[in-house]
């Protein structure tokens, strides 16, 4: 598929993340206006609330775009999603009939503030990257026991905290937590000293289900994807995670990129799953290419420190979602599934500082002469990703976060005994 | 505190779970009517939507009781909660001035259907019962390693699945899942054969917070309590839980009792924490009695199979909530915190079949001559609880669930490759 040309000229560049082929969904505001739904096109945002009010797009009897989230549209189901994309393409394509009616509703991205694009119903975080699981397992349990026994059979995951999901650009406060050093007999309560990122892809459930669904059905139920940074306090995690899994170590914040890239926009970039070392049970087998070829990278204060690709995942989002439903777990519109950290085979492909610095034993040398084992106060971490088409890209928009120092006294001003 | 007498005569019995001292909050409907908020009093339910419409109770400028959940009331904060209880007590006390205006809004409980009393924002399940943790740890890891190293220092917990929380009386479908027998080289996908209950107390967060809060503040932020049955598929759990914790094994359903017992109603039953074997760090220390003396029991097909007490918990709900906030995790109105299974020191005090049958090795003998290691299809499990006052009880209402056979073909009728 080549670049689809738009009358919005900035959308026709090979460098824009948002050509007509993409049309990602976000929520924006300008000045003190109420946040509302928008679609990115080149350097502009199409104001969907205005376009709907003008009668240029009608999805339902009630307004779908004036609320500051895309859940209302997701609720309408896959046929309406397809109709929306077709209509947006009609309105924005080169030679469109309604150019003059649409043009007044374009807002420059530089003037807009971006908000959370959807209401997160619940957040689940998987562990579907084999290089990451192997690296972490090797550090924690030794090379022989690196992969847990279940790992090659199910996409293991844990429930995360939806209330902590924030949009790119939100500052992240270094957390306090209970930490026990290897050399200490007792734990202490202190700011995390091993605060980290995790480069992930997030999948958004757009169709509810109750009861086990097939991988094919799960694939069809996914509305779109975001980049996702699962901020992780490794020292808190090491102390708390046995036997119930990560909890407070992952609850400070999870950042997502501001634009939901529709699954439909990623269709040309589907690719096959990696080699299966052990055959999966039938209910987890994929029957088509359900992974995506999306180059990804991590920056620390603007310097690229890792490059990898979403196709490195061992389990697709569809397989994760299918597994999620096996117990009868009800899935709802707006559920967010993190893939787990996406690392590649080489050191430069690792999607966390834990892996990049090998647990702090091999600090990362930065171009400015500094080194990093984990995040330092003031550091800005970024995730970046764009599928590479023939003369165009399907970009996600960056997922950025700056880490602020821990609170001095977290209990200041509170009732104590 | 003695029994507070009401002009609703059935509320003056020493046997009613719902005397004037209690006033628990639920959601009910009669016939095909819309569900709405109600308060239990003796054998009746006070229709709060009707009472509000009649001008007998006004909490806010907008109606608070016509929506089928109590989140609107929780949102108004502790001062309004206290005002509500005071006004309800005025209206329902013996000798009340407005008896004639209130009486028409009483509905017999026998005519009402009960619904979920609140919208669950997120669900967290703790592991705060020491007897339970010791029993399970002994079975899984041996007596020497029974308690995980962190257990005496923090109330460990994991995020559960809010979408799976259902009200008492909802039938529970035995789940399928991936299971690996100890004697098998590979896992299989099959219905759970070790489906179990967990007797827990659930605490409902009524005040939002962001950032670490003290135990005293956490205690003040809890709106009320329910009984909670965290249905658990032990065979699925054993295979999936390392290293990320329980996931699909706990996602089929969690049942709660239909009435929210206000924290205020439980005030007379506060009791001190058990002996601390290791001093807690200051941020987790309670500065007053924050446990509750509530006798609890489990029935299987109406036969009592276990009796215990909420005071057996090692960590209070306030300590659980305080720990939950340490990382900066935002807490929201409607968050539900399960205590973890509440067992006592003796065999007859165990709050799960896993413990009662010691992992199936010592099946439980029932009065009818049958035995049980785990739940069989058609079994009805019940949780019961009532704090015992001087001539009155603060009851929770039963938390019941009947287990249906697993689906024959969970993928029937779905798209497959």
């Amino acid at each position: 598929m080549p670049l689809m040309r738009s009358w919005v000229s900035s959308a026709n560049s090979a460098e824009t993340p948002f050509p007509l082929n993409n049309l990602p969904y976000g929520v924006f505001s300008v000045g003190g206006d109420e946040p509302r739904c928008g679609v990115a096109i080149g350097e502009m945002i199409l104001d969907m609330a205005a376009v709907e009010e003008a009668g240029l797009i009608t999805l339902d009897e009630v307004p779908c775009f004036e609320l500051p989230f895309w859940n209302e549209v997701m609720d309408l189901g896959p046929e309406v999603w397809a109709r929306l994309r077709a209509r947006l393409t009609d309105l924005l394509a080169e030679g469109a009939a309604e150019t003059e009616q649409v043009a007044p509703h374009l807002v420059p991205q530089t003037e807009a503030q971006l908000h959370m694009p959807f209401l997160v119903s619940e957040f689940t975080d998987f562990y579907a990257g084999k290089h990451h699981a192997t690296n972490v397992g090797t550090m924690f349990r030794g090379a022989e026991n690196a992969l847990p026994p279940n790992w090659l059979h199910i996409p293991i995951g844990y429930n995360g905290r939806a209330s902590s999901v924030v949009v790119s650009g939100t500052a992240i406060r270094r957390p306090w937590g209970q930490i026990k050093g290897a050399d200490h007999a007792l734990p202490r309560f202190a700011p995390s000293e091993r605060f980290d990122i995790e480069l992930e892809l997030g999948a958004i459930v757009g169709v509810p289900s109750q009861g086990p669904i097939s991988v094919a059905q799960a694939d069809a139920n996914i509305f779109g994807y975001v980049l996702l940074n699962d901020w992780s306090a490794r020292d808190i995690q090491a102390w708390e995670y046995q036997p119930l899994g990560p909890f407070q170590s992952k609850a400070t914040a999870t950042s997502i990129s501001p634009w939901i890239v529709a699954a439909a926009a990623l269709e040309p970039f589907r690719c096959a799953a990696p080699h299966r070392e052990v055959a999966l049970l039938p209910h987890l087998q994929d029957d088509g290419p359900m992974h995506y070829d999306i180059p990804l990278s991590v920056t620390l204060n603007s310097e690229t420190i890792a490059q990898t690709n979403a196709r490195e995942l061992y389990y697709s989002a569809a397989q994760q979602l299918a597994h999620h439903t096996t117990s009868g777990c009800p899935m709802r519109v707006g559920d967010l599934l993190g893939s787990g950290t996406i690392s590649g085979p080489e050191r430069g492909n690792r999607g966390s500082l834990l892996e990049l610095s090998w647990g702090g034993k091999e600090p990362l040398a930065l171009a400015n002469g500094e080194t990093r084992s984990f995040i330092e106060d003031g550091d800005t971490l970024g995730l970046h990703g764009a599928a590479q088409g023939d003369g165009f890209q399907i970009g996600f928009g960056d997922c950025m976060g700056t880490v602020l120092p821990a609170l001095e006294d977290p209990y200041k001003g509170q009732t104590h005994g």
Side-chain angles (χ1 to χ4, degrees), chain A residues 388-407:
Chain A
Q388 302 296 313
D390 181 12
F392 72 98
Q393 304 182 52
I394 300 292
F396 280 78
D398 303 326
C399 179
M400 310 299 293
T402 299
V403 172
L404 305 179
L407 295 169

Side-chain angles (χ1 to χ4, degrees), chain A residues 88-99:
Chain A
L88 282 167
T89 304
D90 278 352
L91 290 175
L92 292 167
E94 209 168 54
E98 288 125 324
T99 307

Side-chain angles (χ1 to χ4, degrees), chain A residues 3-22:
Chain A
L3 172 74
M4 294 163 67
R5 294 190 64 85
S6 168
W7 54 264
V8 181
S9 57
S10 59
N12 298 327
S13 151
E15 274 73 50
T16 180
F18 309 126
L20 185 58
N21 308 55
N22 193 347

Side-chain angles (χ1 to χ4, degrees), chain A residues 316-337:
Chain A
S316 65
Q319 287 171 313
Q320 294 162 23
L321 175 54
H323 174 59
H324 209 319
T325 67
T326 49
S327 67
C329 180
M331 303 303 297
R332 297 184 293 199
V333 170
D335 281 336
L336 173 64
L337 312 187

Side-chain angles (χ1 to χ4, degrees), chain A residues 174 192-197 229 231-232 300 353 372-381 402-403:
Chain A
R174 178 185 299 275
S192 171
E193 291 173 358
R194 293 164 72 92
F195 198 49
D196 197 1
I197 55 155
N229 182 354
W231 302 91
S232 301
L300 192 160
L353 287 166
R372 284 292 183 286
S373 289
F374 292 96
I375 300 170
E376 297 194 358
D377 291 344
D379 281 349
T380 297
L381 280 297
T402 299
V403 172

Side-chain angles (χ1 to χ4, degrees), chain A residues 73-98:
Chain A
V73 174
M74 291 191 236
D75 270 334
L76 297 173
E79 284 181 26
V80 175
W81 309 345
R83 185 148 58 83
L84 169 63
R85 289 189 71 75
R87 180 65 179 149
L88 282 167
T89 304
D90 278 352
L91 290 175
L92 292 167
E94 209 168 54
E98 288 125 324

Side-chain angles (χ1 to χ4, degrees), chain A residues 127-143:
Chain A
Y127 192 57
K130 185 151 171 267
H131 298 292
H132 171 71
T134 304
N135 286 337
V136 172
T138 301
M139 277 184 263
F140 284 28
R141 291 178 293 272

